């Protein structure tokens, strides 16, 4: 059997697992010709989600006749540089191409492609779809690219474009022939342009939903081809339920298991760290200095509880976490960390053991310049005494590399299964 995992690419709709409530919410909006905004961190499966919505099987399962919907799936990052005209033109082009089985309707749409692409031209296309008993399901991936200025796209043009999208979705008569589903890396309310108190927010016609880490039931279903079942638990621990990590881990472990007697834990570990590096790097770079410091503290506090026989610790630093729960909740929403409550105290952990290792390496690579450049930010997070305490603990870890390596070594967890 071919490898059932799909690292580095969207999961085909027929292999899509989970996200049941999110899929149902999306189709509730589609059936009502309303609009839906999905957001989640890098690698959380947003593109796979859109492709699932576009599949004929999913449409039929939710009571929609595929012959009555024209699906247009586009990625804003593929419009280079992003401009409103490029956006509207891409929709019209794909819409036209999707009507190959409807030559008469396609012929009616054709003249619209020869005009300057605007939201008004798309409204004409929607009107023609409606007259034919159809509607447009517009799936827009990476909407973040539409809220970033470039040399051909000013802030004023951006505000106009977003207002046109909102008008098309809720004010135009043709809106009854349109349902728009968009994805972004963070909630639309946190993207520019910011909320204008004198106007309705450009994003408030969307129902918001985040894509979170896979739950245990979904993970068991995804990893059902991994044998023995106990190995699935180790993969879950290593990946933390992060969709992209699960696909990479599943792909590599499946490949090793096919080798039989020649399966090798070191080979799996090397491949996993190599193929996931870009994910952790992206997550880290998308964090601001305050978030990076919080992640450092989580890593250091976790290590502090595991390294014994040292003459120094981070006693008292943990209280910082209780003072910045909103920032930590944001990191949880993005799938970077998770939390649990023990004896009324909240503890934070990395969702993936590899993320913990990555952040710890960043800690050890952190220069004095990093602390100096961000001193003002850090002083709003921890006291000068606590910052000094953190620096001393980093020095201690650097001088006890052997103990640190032992704490961060996750390979022994899978050795019994690949030896």
């Amino acid at each position: 059997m071919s490898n059932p995992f799909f690292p580095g690419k969207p999961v085909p709709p027929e292999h899509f697992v989970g996200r049941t409530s999110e899929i149902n919410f999306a189709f509730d909006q589609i059936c009502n010709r309303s609009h839906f905004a999905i957001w989640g961190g890098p690698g959380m499966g947003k593109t796979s989600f859109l492709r699932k919505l576009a599949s004929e099987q999913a449409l039929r399962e939710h009571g929609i006749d595929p012959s009555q919907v024209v699906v247009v799936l586009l990625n804003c990052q593929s419009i280079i540089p992003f401009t409103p005209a490029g956006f509207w033109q891409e929709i019209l082009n794909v819409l036209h191409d999707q009507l190959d089985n409807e030559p008469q309707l396609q012929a009616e749409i054709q003249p619209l492609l020869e005009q300057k692409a605007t939201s008004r031209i798309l409204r004409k296309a929607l009107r023609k779809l409606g007259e034919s008993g159809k509607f447009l399901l517009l799936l827009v991936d990476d909407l973040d690219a539409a809220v970033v200025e470039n040399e051909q796209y000013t802030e004023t043009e951006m505000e106009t474009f977003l207002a046109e999208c909102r008008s098309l979705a809720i004010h135009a008569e043709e809106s009854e022939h349109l349902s728009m589903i968009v994805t972004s890396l963070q909630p639309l309310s946190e993207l520019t342009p910011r909320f204008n108190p004198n106007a309705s927010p450009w994003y408030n016609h969307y129902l918001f939903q985040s894509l979170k880490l896979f739950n245990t039931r979904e993970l068991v279903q995804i990893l059902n081809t991994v044998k023995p079942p106990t190995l699935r638990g180790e993969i879950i621990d290593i990946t933390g339920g992060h969709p992209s990590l699960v696909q990479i881990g599943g792909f590599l472990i499946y490949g090793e298991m096919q080798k039989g007697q020649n399966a090798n834990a070191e080979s799996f570990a090397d491949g996993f760290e190599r193929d996931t590096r870009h994910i952790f790097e992206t997550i880290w770079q998308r964090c601001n200095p305050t978030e990076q410091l919080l992640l450092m503290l989580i890593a250091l506090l976790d290590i502090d509880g595991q390294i014994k026989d040292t003459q120094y610790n981070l006693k008292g630093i943990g209280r910082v976490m209780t003072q910045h729960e909103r920032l930590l909740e944001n990191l949880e929403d993005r799938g970077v960390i998770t939390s649990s409550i023990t004896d009324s105290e909240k503890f934070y952990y990395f969702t993936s053991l590899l993320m913990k290792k990555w952040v710890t390496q960043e800690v050890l690579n952190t220069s004095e310049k990093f602390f100096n450049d961000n001193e003002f930010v850090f002083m709003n997070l921890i006291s000068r005494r606590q910052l000094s305490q953190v620096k001393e603990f980093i020095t201690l870890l650097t001088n006890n590399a052997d103990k640190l390596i032992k704490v961060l070594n996750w390979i022994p967890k899978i050795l019994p299964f690949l030896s």
Side-chain angles (χ1 to χ4, degrees):
M1 189 176 76
S2 61
N3 198 310
F5 297 95
F6 303 88
K9 61 185 295 186
V11 175
E14 61 271 21
H15 290 273
F16 190 92
V17 171
R19 308 300 198 197
T20 303
S21 63
E22 293 89 346
I23 292 288
N24 289 337
F25 283 145
F27 274 107
D28 285 344
Q29 295 297 92
I30 293 169
C31 291
N32 292 332
R33 308 295 185 266
S34 297
H35 315 284
F36 194 53
I38 282 285
W39 66 275
M44 292 299 284
K46 299 181 292 296
T47 302
S48 299
F49 184 89
L50 290 185
R51 295 197 177 196
K52 178 65 175 179
L53 297 182
S55 68
E56 289 192 5
Q57 178 188 4
L59 290 167
R60 288 195 178 94
E61 287 176 352
H62 292 84
I64 298 175
D65 183 350
S67 68
Q68 296 182 345
V69 56
V70 180
V71 180
V72 170
L73 173 59
L74 64 88
N75 189 308
C76 288
Q77 289 187 351
S78 67
I79 303 171
I80 304 173
F82 183 89
T83 62
F87 179 82
W88 302 121
Q89 188 67 61
E90 182 69 10
I91 295 173
L92 290 165
N93 288 341
V94 178
L95 171 59
H96 176 268
D97 293 344
Q98 293 287 68
L99 293 172
D100 281 343
N101 295 327
E102 302 272 356
Q104 181 177 344
L105 181 55
Q106 189 179 56
E108 294 178 11
I109 297 293
Q110 175 65 42
L112 300 180
L113 272 63
E114 300 169 3
Q115 303 179 43
K116 182 180 178 180
T118 65
S119 61
R120 286 188 173 275
I121 299 301
L122 182 57
R123 287 173 62 173
K124 292 181 180 181
L126 290 174
R127 195 176 308 131
K128 292 185 179 298
L129 289 181
E131 291 169 355
S132 299
K134 300 178 183 295
F135 74 95
L136 173 63
L137 175 55
L138 181 56
L139 306 175
V140 180
D141 207 1
D142 292 321
L143 186 64
D144 314 72
V147 290
V148 178
E149 297 176 50
N150 59 59
E151 292 182 358
Q152 300 181 37
Y153 185 46
T154 66
E155 182 177 358
T156 299
E157 290 171 330
M158 180 193 305
E159 292 175 350
T160 300
F161 167 70
L162 294 173
E164 288 177 342
C165 287
R166 174 175 163 77
S167 177
L168 180 68
I170 61 174
H171 296 308
E173 292 183 8
E174 296 81 5
S175 63
E176 61 183 301
H177 312 307
L178 171 68
S179 181
M180 188 171 176
I181 314 294
V182 304
T183 74
S184 60
L185 286 167
Q186 58 194 69
L188 301 184
S189 57
E190 296 181 11
L191 300 176
T192 53
R194 297 297 182 185
F195 174 66
N196 180 351
N198 299 317
S200 296
W202 62 268
Y203 48 77
N204 74 346
H205 57 286
Y206 293 103
L207 175 68
F208 280 41
Q209 180 71 51
S210 64
L211 285 186
K212 299 184 182 298
L213 303 170
F214 284 132
N215 60 40
T216 302
R217 179 182 55 80
E218 291 169 331
L219 288 167
V220 169
Q221 189 176 355
I222 293 169
L223 297 169
N224 67 351
T225 56
V226 174
K227 310 294 182 184
T230 45
L231 180 54
R232 299 173 198 164
E234 301 304 334
I235 300 302
I236 291 172
D237 285 343
I238 293 168
T239 63
H242 187 288
S244 286
L245 300 184
V246 171
Q247 290 296 324
I248 293 172
F251 181 87
L252 294 172
I253 203 72
Y254 187 88
E256 289 298 325
M257 297 301 291
Q258 300 313 298
K259 297 178 182 178
Q261 297 292 329
N262 296 320
N264 187 289
E266 300 286 346
S267 176
F268 165 77
D270 289 344
F272 189 68
E273 293 206 26
R274 177 195 66 232
D275 294 343
T276 58
R277 187 175 298 118
H278 70 283
I279 297 175
F280 300 125
E281 183 175 351
T282 300
I283 290 173
W284 180 256
Q285 290 177 346
R286 286 190 58 80
C287 292
N288 60 42
T290 303
E291 293 169 333
Q292 288 180 350
L293 181 59
L294 283 172
L295 292 177
M296 287 180 177
L297 292 178
I298 292 173
L300 293 173
L301 287 167
D302 192 11
I303 292 170
D304 185 31
Q306 297 183 60
I307 292 185
K308 309 300 181 183
D309 303 323
T310 60
Q311 299 177 349
Y312 198 83
N313 60 48
L314 292 177
K315 184 177 180 180
I317 294 289
R319 287 194 295 272
V320 171
M321 300 300 167
T322 63
Q323 302 164 9
H324 302 280
E325 288 196 11
R326 183 64 194 94
L327 290 172
L328 292 164
E329 286 173 2
N330 188 280
L331 290 169
E332 280 196 85
D333 287 340
R334 283 147 56 184
V336 182
I337 60 174
T338 186
S339 64
S340 64
I341 298 178
T342 303
D343 297 329
S344 300
E345 188 173 355
K346 199 169 188 178
F347 295 91
Y348 294 91
Y349 314 90
F350 289 98
T351 54
S352 165
L353 296 175
L354 265 293
M355 186 67 198
K356 171 185 169 182
K357 184 174 181 178
W358 171 273
V359 173
T360 304
Q361 290 171 336
E362 286 294 317
V363 169
L364 298 182
N365 292 334
T366 295
S367 64
E368 186 71 21
K369 185 176 185 301
F370 175 82
F371 288 105
N372 292 337
D373 290 347
N374 296 284
E375 183 174 6
F376 179 76
V377 175
F378 292 165
M379 289 303 99
N380 288 327
L381 190 66
I382 59 178
S383 67
R384 191 174 300 277
R385 180 187 63 79
Q386 290 172 323
L387 182 58
S388 176
Q389 193 177 355
V390 167
K391 290 180 180 179
E392 291 182 33
F393 190 67
I394 292 174
T395 300
L396 179 144
L397 294 179
T398 304
N399 295 333
N400 288 270
D402 54 334
K403 295 181 180 180
L404 184 59
I405 290 173
K406 185 176 180 180
V407 168
L408 297 176
N409 188 11
W410 55 274
I411 299 178
K413 289 178 172 291
I414 62 171
L415 280 175
F417 308 105
L418 293 176
S419 59

